[in-house]
Amino acid sequence: MNRFGKTLRWKISVNFRSLLMWTLGFTLGVFLGELMLLPVIRTGGSRDGREFAALAGFFVVYLIIGVMVSICNLFVELDKKPRRHAFLMLPATNMEKFLSATIYATVSGILMMVLSFGVGDTLRVVFRALVYGDSWHAFTYPYLIDMISSGGMVAPHSLGYRLAGLAFLVSGLAWLHSFFTLGGTILRKNAFVITSIVMVIGLTMLAWFSKNHEISMFCTYYVEGVGKVENVGTMAYVLTTFFAVFSVVNYWASFHIFKAFELITKKWINYEFHK
């Protein structure tokens, strides 16, 4: 544990300045993004629930993308030979080094996204209050928390239906994290872009297959004389199993590739496949 802590502190010390600059950049991006998004939302005439729901949705997408970017850069500091040598020579096991890098990238990514969104959202409130006379209480976070705590984001369903949905969500997020971890481990340059393209191609193929074969996963409908009927399709269970299994496979492959890291590597990848 002591070696793991020292390795984690090394990651923080080396990446702190870069993390700070990324946070400032994302804060400015949130501020400008919300300023451009609000006029589009308000063209529909609604200024309250619809507006905050859109901003809350924007936050969720922003958080996921930001964390995936952070994960894809979990070994970005190793591009420089002195730092690569220093990291590989740290007095810790390969597992401790890999876990410290993965945990740092994940936690720092979440903190960076949450902090930058909060500050950027606050700057938007202050700017619009001073310039346009908007409410000083138009923050997104309280609305998002209220939606979650009041169950506004989850429609009333049976326990089995909710558990199936939760298993699908958790396994899907785990697979997404593991997939971008694999991309960030094997690729030295443009890891997020290349990994995202591969993922989009895969999701597009899945959507095409589902549409052409009329496959549904979670659906709720009403039958006269029966009431509400809930159905969890076979594909939902198949994908949940796929996500769970290949999350483990991706993490294993990432660690296997990391163990083979060398001081001198190819320009684009960290692994010699011909070994």
Side-chain angles (χ1 to χ4, degrees):
M1 184 59 70
N2 185 45
R3 294 178 305 183
F4 172 79
K6 289 182 179 180
T7 306
L8 188 59
R9 285 196 295 272
W10 184 89
K11 289 286 295 183
I12 295 174
S13 64
V14 169
N15 292 281
F16 181 77
R17 180 181 176 84
S18 174
L19 179 65
L20 181 61
M21 297 307 296
W22 273 100
T23 303
L24 293 175
F26 277 121
T27 299
L28 179 61
V30 170
F31 172 63
L32 296 177
E34 288 192 350
L35 287 182
M36 293 185 291
L37 184 62
L38 281 177
V40 177
I41 300 172
R42 291 177 174 178
T43 54
S46 175
R47 296 172 59 91
D48 296 320
R50 182 169 174 262
E51 174 181 314
F52 286 118
L55 291 179
F58 171 64
F59 166 72
V60 173
V61 174
Y62 171 79
L63 176 64
I64 293 176
I65 293 177
V67 173
M68 294 307 107
V69 171
S70 179
I71 293 170
C72 272
N73 289 296
L74 78 169
F75 294 119
V76 68
E77 76 277 0
L78 303 188
D79 276 347
K80 296 181 179 179
K81 188 175 179 180
R83 289 183 177 179
R84 192 179 186 90
H85 181 267
F87 182 72
L88 294 178
M89 295 302 294
L90 287 173
T93 65
N94 285 326
M95 178 61 73
E96 289 170 335
K97 294 174 186 176
F98 179 76
L99 287 178
S100 67
T102 305
I103 292 173
Y104 170 79
T106 304
V107 175
S108 65
I110 294 174
L111 292 177
M112 177 175 63
M113 293 297 101
V114 172
L115 179 62
S116 62
F117 189 89
V119 176
D121 190 56
T122 301
L123 291 176
R124 183 265 305 172
V125 171
V126 173
F127 178 81
R128 291 200 63 90
L130 293 175
V131 178
Y132 299 102
D134 285 2
S135 170
W136 285 89
H137 304 286
F139 296 96
T140 303
Y141 273 147
Y143 181 82
L144 180 63
I145 294 173
D146 181 66
M147 287 177 63
I148 297 174
S149 61
S150 64
M153 296 181 69
V154 182
H157 291 292
S158 65
L159 178 60
Y161 190 91
R162 292 200 303 269
L163 289 177
L166 180 61
F168 180 83
L169 176 63
V170 172
S171 61
L173 290 176
W175 175 82
L176 187 67
H177 183 277
S178 69
F179 186 67
F180 277 87
T181 299
L182 178 60
T185 304
I186 193 172
L187 297 170
R188 294 189 64 189
K189 297 181 181 296
N190 302 319
F192 176 73
V193 175
I194 296 174
T195 307
S196 297
I197 291 174
V198 174
M199 186 189 68
V200 169
I201 292 174
L203 292 178
T204 302
M205 292 175 63
L206 175 63
W208 176 85
F209 180 82
S210 299
K211 180 180 179 181
N212 285 273
H213 293 80
E214 299 182 353
I215 296 175
S216 62
M217 291 188 289
F218 296 92
C219 59
T220 303
Y221 52 92
Y222 290 86
V223 177
E224 186 175 353
V226 177
K228 184 172 69 173
V229 177
E230 299 172 342
N231 180 55
V232 180
T234 303
M235 182 58 73
Y237 294 110
V238 171
L239 287 178
T240 299
T241 304
F242 172 87
F243 289 148
V245 171
F246 278 89
S247 293
V248 176
V249 171
N250 288 340
Y251 286 130
W252 175 85
S254 299
F255 179 61
H256 179 74
I257 292 170
F258 171 74
K259 288 195 303 180
F261 272 19
E262 296 180 352
L263 188 59
I264 300 176
T265 62
K266 292 183 177 294
K267 181 179 180 180
W268 288 91
I269 61 176
N270 284 308
Y271 189 67
E272 299 288 348
F273 286 97
H274 62 271
K275 287 183 178 181

